[in-house]
Amino acid sequence: MDRELISLKLTTLRHTAVGMRPAGWAIGGALVAATWAAAVLAGGDGARHTMLTLALLLWGVGAAIGPVLMSGAGTLRPAWFALLPIPRRALGRGLLVSVYVSIAAAIVLAAHLAVGVHAVLLDPATLAVAVPGAVLTWVLVIALSRLVYGLLGAAMGSRIGIEIAGIQFGLMFAAMFAGWIPVSIAVQRTPDLLATGITDSAVTRGLDMSPTSWSVLAVERAARGDWAGAFVLLGALALCGGAVVAATVPLLVPSTRPRDQRRRGRRRSARLVAGGGFLPRTQTGAVIAKEVRQWSRDGWRLLEVQSGVWTGILIGALALTSDELRGIAAFSGLIVAFMLGISACTMYGQDGSAVWLDVVGQDETSVRADVHGRQWGAVLTFLPKVLVVTAAFVVLSQAWWAVPVLLAATPALFGAASGAAVVVAAVGVSPGVDPRQRVGPNDAVGNITFHVWIVMLLIAVGTAPTVGMIVAYAAAPSAWLATLMVAVGLGNGFGAAWLLGRTAIGYLTDRLPDLFSRIRYGQVFRETSTSGALDWFESATLKGEQEAKARKQKERADRVARSAAR
């Protein structure tokens, strides 16, 4: 079974597009070279010890969260084998074994073999411990990567799983926006680290406790003549890896339990229902109630919210580590508000084929109610979190001077982000995976890189009046200018939300069936034109999706033809 699944995986890879895999291999190779260079260039045995334990821990963390961030569901999906008469445990074991047969896994193994440098420099005889230790650590790390991805896929219906995935996506976005802060600090301290290593005893003890460091500790014990202690550490590493493998195999087996489990005993939010609480008894009120519930109960929408929140928190935490940038932490709440635009720019695509309800229920006011309700639903979902993050980091950074700026920028950013999101979600709808078939945390949307750039452009243009007032206030601060700045921010927010929302309404009024056909069939059944910016954006996103699909089909056909010719 294992051999057949490995063969199936390799055959599948030969018949799929290479995509960004070569770039990932190049980056991985560079990281392997950096790991070996740190081991070779370390100033002494102690410095080499801390550099290796730190590097191997980072490799373990990267392997654990990498598949989640890069949509690493694996080449072979368990759902493909759900109906086959294969023993479940044998299938799970084969799927896990196939993960080890890949270039990415070989790169991870090459990084862990850097322990051999430490062994050679201490005592070449300890290579008998270093090589098995590196292999056992590699087995543990690869199995851990599958375990984390499987747990998150299984836990997408639970709040804790969504929270963990949100932290990981927040780390990715924080690294994109503010990763230069720790990188600059690390570059400045690299010569010292190579010369002396990590001198904080508490940090070194924490690193030594990680199972990824046990191979290094085993080598050092063997070099001191304590071979029994070295083999005890290798045994402990083998037991830890075996436990992770045993826990991973059941998660790789396709589940036969229906995903749409009914919630029992959960009270409905009666105060939120339109007409039964603070929302008006109108179409807009009904849409707001539906959207607020969906943002809190749909696991994939909730993941978008928590990713935005953790992005703001982590960027604020990074800013607090630098004395020069400490004041920037006060603006962490604005990062969360900005992430509203990115998180909500797929709201129509996330609904999947349920958009059909909007089509069959369309009347003269339903589109306006739907657009405005979606805007308000997103704002009401993000607003409490923005206020909490903003208040916390203003207190932590003691940047009280930023309060007037925040009072002006927050409403302006909310208005522009909610408007930009609804326009992009409607015009460039990205269907992704149908809600009934979602498994992993990346299944909600398709390729939205283009959409994100358009959202950022619209937010920048939509908040221009407030940005101008903030610049004027920074140049000549005064009480009356601060008051005017806040008033402009409020007006800017409502104006941007209304104008961009009106744009989305005008587009959807005559094109709701096209929105559904793009989600359901991947095309529109009408003559498309490029007479305006919206038509251009629609055509560009639709053309990109169709070209990507055609390119994959052509590459598959070419590979089949070459295989037949051979």
Side-chain angles (χ1 to χ4, degrees):
M1 172 61 65
D2 299 346
R3 185 179 302 172
E4 284 77 8
L5 288 175
I6 292 172
S7 177
L8 178 60
K9 173 184 176 178
L10 297 178
T11 303
T12 303
L13 288 174
R14 286 196 301 268
H15 290 80
T16 55
V18 176
M20 298 297 294
R21 288 202 299 268
W25 298 336
I27 295 173
L31 293 176
V32 170
T35 304
W36 280 73
V40 172
L41 300 176
D45 295 341
R48 191 183 314 109
H49 169 92
T50 56
M51 294 300 292
L52 279 174
T53 54
L54 176 61
L56 294 180
L57 177 62
L58 292 177
W59 274 100
V61 173
I65 69 175
V68 177
L69 301 181
M70 303 304 295
S71 188
T75 304
L76 301 180
R77 291 177 175 263
W80 296 353
F81 309 94
L83 300 180
L84 297 181
I86 303 175
R88 301 292 91 179
R89 190 162 189 84
L91 175 60
R93 185 192 66 243
L95 291 174
L96 178 59
V97 170
S98 68
V99 176
Y100 289 90
V101 183
S102 66
I103 295 179
I107 289 173
V108 177
L109 177 60
H112 284 80
L113 287 174
V115 178
V117 175
H118 194 44
V120 169
L121 293 176
L122 289 177
D123 183 356
T126 59
L127 280 173
V129 174
V131 175
V135 173
L136 289 174
T137 309
W138 172 66
V139 172
L140 168 66
V141 167
I142 298 299
L144 182 63
S145 70
R146 291 292 91 192
L147 176 64
V148 172
Y149 193 90
L151 285 174
L152 289 178
M156 279 304 293
S158 68
R159 184 59 186 259
I160 186 171
I162 294 170
E163 204 68 42
I164 294 173
I167 294 174
Q168 293 179 337
F169 280 103
L171 279 170
M172 180 184 69
F173 290 124
M176 291 170 57
F177 295 141
W180 58 272
I181 298 176
V183 169
S184 62
I185 296 175
V187 170
Q188 293 173 0
R189 295 197 58 191
T190 296
D192 295 335
L193 285 175
L194 288 175
T196 62
I198 300 174
T199 56
D200 191 327
S201 59
V203 175
T204 56
R205 283 196 301 269
L207 290 174
D208 291 345
M209 291 175 63
S210 172
T212 57
S213 303
W214 293 352
S215 59
V216 178
L217 298 178
V219 168
E220 293 173 351
R221 287 198 177 190
R224 294 195 300 266
D226 185 8
W227 288 88
F231 285 116
V232 167
L233 282 173
L234 291 184
L237 187 57
L239 288 175
C240 187
V244 174
V245 168
T248 304
V249 168
L251 287 174
L252 297 181
V253 176
S255 175
T256 58
R257 186 181 63 182
R259 295 184 58 83
D260 54 344
Q261 303 257 339
R262 183 183 298 273
R263 290 184 175 90
R264 300 181 184 277
R266 182 171 180 175
R267 292 184 59 191
R268 298 292 182 182
S269 49
R271 291 185 298 174
L272 185 64
V273 178
F278 62 84
L279 294 177
R281 192 188 295 269
T282 61
Q283 287 181 330
T284 303
V287 175
I288 295 173
K290 184 265 292 185
E291 283 293 301
V292 171
R293 281 178 171 173
Q294 193 165 349
W295 279 110
S296 61
R297 296 183 181 181
D298 183 343
W300 282 263
R301 283 221 195 180
L302 184 57
L303 177 59
E304 299 281 0
V305 177
Q306 295 307 111
S307 299
V309 172
W310 282 106
T311 299
I313 292 174
L314 292 171
I315 289 178
L318 289 175
L320 288 176
T321 62
S322 172
D323 294 335
E324 296 82 5
L325 302 174
R326 190 176 185 85
I328 298 179
F331 299 95
S332 299
L334 295 183
I335 300 296
V336 183
F338 172 80
M339 291 298 293
L340 180 153
I342 298 176
S343 300
C345 74
T346 58
M347 61 176 73
Y348 281 105
Q350 286 181 338
D351 285 356
S353 55
V355 172
W356 175 250
L357 298 174
D358 294 334
V359 178
V360 298
Q362 183 177 2
D363 58 28
E364 63 276 5
T365 60
S366 63
V367 174
R368 182 173 67 251
D370 185 73
V371 170
H372 289 163
R374 288 176 183 270
Q375 288 179 280
W376 277 111
V379 170
L380 291 177
T381 299
F382 277 81
L383 181 59
K385 304 176 186 301
V386 169
L387 295 179
V388 170
V389 172
T390 299
F393 279 97
V394 167
V395 173
L396 290 174
S397 64
Q398 296 294 303
W400 305 108
W401 54 267
V403 172
V405 177
L406 292 170
L407 291 176
T410 301
L413 197 53
F414 263 125
S418 63
V422 75
V423 169
V424 172
V427 181
V429 59
S430 176
V433 180
D434 189 89
R436 296 171 297 176
Q437 301 174 351
R438 293 174 187 167
V439 178
N442 295 294
D443 289 344
V445 297
N447 185 3
I448 60 169
T449 304
F450 189 29
H451 303 67
V452 170
W453 283 107
I454 297 296
V455 166
M456 291 193 291
L457 176 62
L458 291 176
I459 291 176
V461 174
T463 56
T466 304
V467 172
M469 288 300 303
I470 292 174
V471 171
Y473 174 76
S478 63
W480 71 269
L481 196 56
T483 304
L484 180 60
M485 178 178 62
V486 173
V488 170
L490 287 170
N492 187 177
F494 281 101
W498 178 86
L499 181 60
L500 292 171
R502 185 69 188 85
T503 303
I505 293 169
Y507 172 84
L508 287 176
T509 298
D510 299 323
R511 301 186 185 181
L512 265 180
D514 296 334
L515 179 71
F516 173 76
S517 67
R518 287 192 63 172
I519 294 174
R520 181 65 179 84
Y521 304 106
Q523 58 181 313
V524 295
F525 300 97
R526 63 173 174 81
E527 293 294 330
T528 59
S529 63
T530 56
S531 58
L534 295 182
D535 291 328
W536 170 81
F537 182 50
E538 178 195 47
S539 300
T541 53
L542 180 59
K543 183 179 179 181
E545 294 170 2
Q546 293 175 341
E547 287 181 348
K549 183 177 180 181
R551 186 165 54 250
K552 290 180 180 179
Q553 291 175 344
K554 184 178 183 301
E555 291 177 354
R556 187 180 298 113
D558 291 343
R559 288 188 176 91
V560 171
R562 287 196 297 268
S563 299
R566 288 196 296 267

